[in-house]
Amino acid sequence: MGILTDLYNTVAKFFRPQEESEDASKSVATNRLKLVLMQDRTNLTPKILEQMRGELIDLLSRYVEMDKELLELNFEQEGDQVALMLSIPVIRAKDEEEIEAALNADKDAEEESSEETAENSDEMDEEAVNQQEGDETPKVSAPEEFNKNEGSESAEEQHVEA
Amino acid sequence: MTGRVIVITSGKGGVGKTTTSANIGTALAKDGYKVVLIDTDLGLRNLDLLLGLENRIVYTIVDVIEERCKLKQALVKDKKNPNLSLLAAAQTRDKTAVTAEQLKEICDTLKEENDFVLVDCPAGIEQGFQNAVAGASEAIVVTTPEMSAIRDADRIIGLLEAKEEIKSYKLLLNRVRPSLIKSNEMMSVDDVVEILSCPLVGIIPEDTGIITSTNKGEPIVNDENALAGKAYRNVAQRILGEEVPFLDLDEPKGFMAKIKNAFSKLKAKV
């Protein structure tokens, strides 16, 4: 009987359709292709994306303390619309004094680096983001609630229409 | 009569533009429509070979443009089907021998007396592409389920979208290998359509018969038994406005495959 079972299993294995595997080259190809096509379609090079990521970190870290290493900037496609997804693991929100201090520190830094006096350092940075995005003005919706408990993490997602 | 001018394009080379042009043209002509195929790949002409007409070419498109002959004189009639003719590309010249305006003029003249003018576009997105597209109002984008071909097709679709004269464009997915799709080693038809978000006009299975048909200079649509031939005949029907379901490529064809299929069904019951 044992021989027969072995034989059956061997034969059955031969006829069984191949099982789906997570790392099948098809899904690798699909994901790589999706990303490269987003870059092609939007004309955003990896260099510009990296720059954008850096500037967004600078801007947002005035208001929240976050895990910079885990910040993700990705494209997602919904129909014809391409969305820029920003996922930020927020450690905690800064209080008003800290925000004030961060803004002033940035202001001082800018005054030092350039002769022109920046009226509002916030606007300066937003302009920089606008230039990356092209003609359309990005709508960055401010996160409404922060988790104020120190140490705990919450991810806020912001959508920027690309 | 005003015929339809359709450009067959892809971006990437070697995905089957010329094979597609030859087969769709032959299929439409077999259905009784008057068809002219234009090879715009100057310096790298091949459409004549696929149709088996390479020994009959006297004048080329450049001869027409440089007025060494009349347009009618340059049209080579197909061996089997008088409805089908070819305007060959010049083999000794490059893309600069023709301008977009000149090609558009030729298309405009030809569509007066034909039901279909099919323009076989060269690979690339430069002048040759711009020339081929100039006279067309429809496009078929040929691609295969490979990353590089899909990326190039996406680029071509972007360029076609920007052209006002192109009223519609459709995707033809060539060299599909159902067994690889089944084992998740090849992107499926749905994957490609989703990524490119472009309507499909045809799915052509990989078929070794294409090689022998090219060897003989006989488009595979003439082979009643070939699966790729049937798929191309279906594409022609869809171009004519008929709703033809896409071939079920999952069906095993060979004798061994049938036994294998029957066995696995039996096993499922047990």
Side-chain angles (χ1 to χ4, degrees), chain B residues 105-247:
Chain B
E105 209 180 307
I106 287 177
C107 289
D108 287 347
T109 313
L110 286 172
K111 75 180 176 191
E112 296 297 317
E113 288 179 26
N114 291 278
D115 297 298
F116 288 96
V117 179
L118 302 182
V119 187
D120 183 20
C121 180
I125 51 172
E126 299 88 19
Q127 192 57 43
F129 165 77
Q130 300 295 345
N131 288 351
V133 169
S137 55
E138 296 169 59
I140 291 177
V141 180
V142 182
T143 190
T144 64
E146 290 151 70
M147 291 177 69
S148 48
I150 295 169
R151 187 187 195 178
D152 291 1
D154 188 71
R155 195 84 170 86
I156 287 289
I157 289 170
L159 293 172
L160 291 173
E161 267 177 350
K163 296 213 174 284
E164 255 177 51
E165 314 82 61
I166 301 290
K167 306 291 179 221
S168 86
Y169 54 85
K170 285 186 175 149
L171 192 69
L172 186 139
L173 191 56
N174 200 12
R175 309 193 69 166
V176 173
R177 296 171 68 175
S179 60
L180 286 188
I181 291 176
K182 238 179 180 170
S183 60
N184 280 315
E185 286 166 281
M186 183 179 257
M187 271 180 255
S188 70
V189 176
D190 291 343
D191 289 333
V192 180
V193 171
E194 191 209 315
I195 287 173
L196 292 174
S197 51
C198 179
L200 261 185
V201 73
I203 304 164
I204 315 293
E206 172 91 60
D207 191 333
T208 49
I210 293 282
I211 298 169
T212 47
S213 90
T214 307
N215 289 347
K216 290 186 241 166
E218 176 93 37
I220 203 162
V221 285
N222 288 331
D223 181 349
E224 292 299 322
N225 299 319
L227 196 62
K230 190 174 185 213
Y232 273 124
R233 286 195 295 276
N234 286 350
V235 174
Q237 293 305 306
R238 288 186 201 108
I239 290 171
L240 292 167
E242 279 176 47
E243 280 193 26
V244 189
F246 291 103
L247 289 181

Side-chain angles (χ1 to χ4, degrees), chain B residues 58-98:
Chain B
V58 182
Y59 296 112
T60 68
I61 191 165
V62 175
D63 293 318
V64 177
I65 283 163
E66 294 177 355
E67 294 180 344
R68 278 188 291 274
C69 70
K70 296 241 169 63
L71 179 53
K72 268 191 185 152
Q73 286 176 289
L75 296 178
V76 184
K77 277 221 150 51
D78 185 51
K79 287 178 286 188
K80 282 187 177 169
N81 199 324
N83 283 333
L84 180 68
S85 48
L86 168 72
L87 178 56
Q91 185 64 348
T92 52
R93 304 289 291 272
D94 66 13
K95 321 273 185 238
T96 54
V98 176

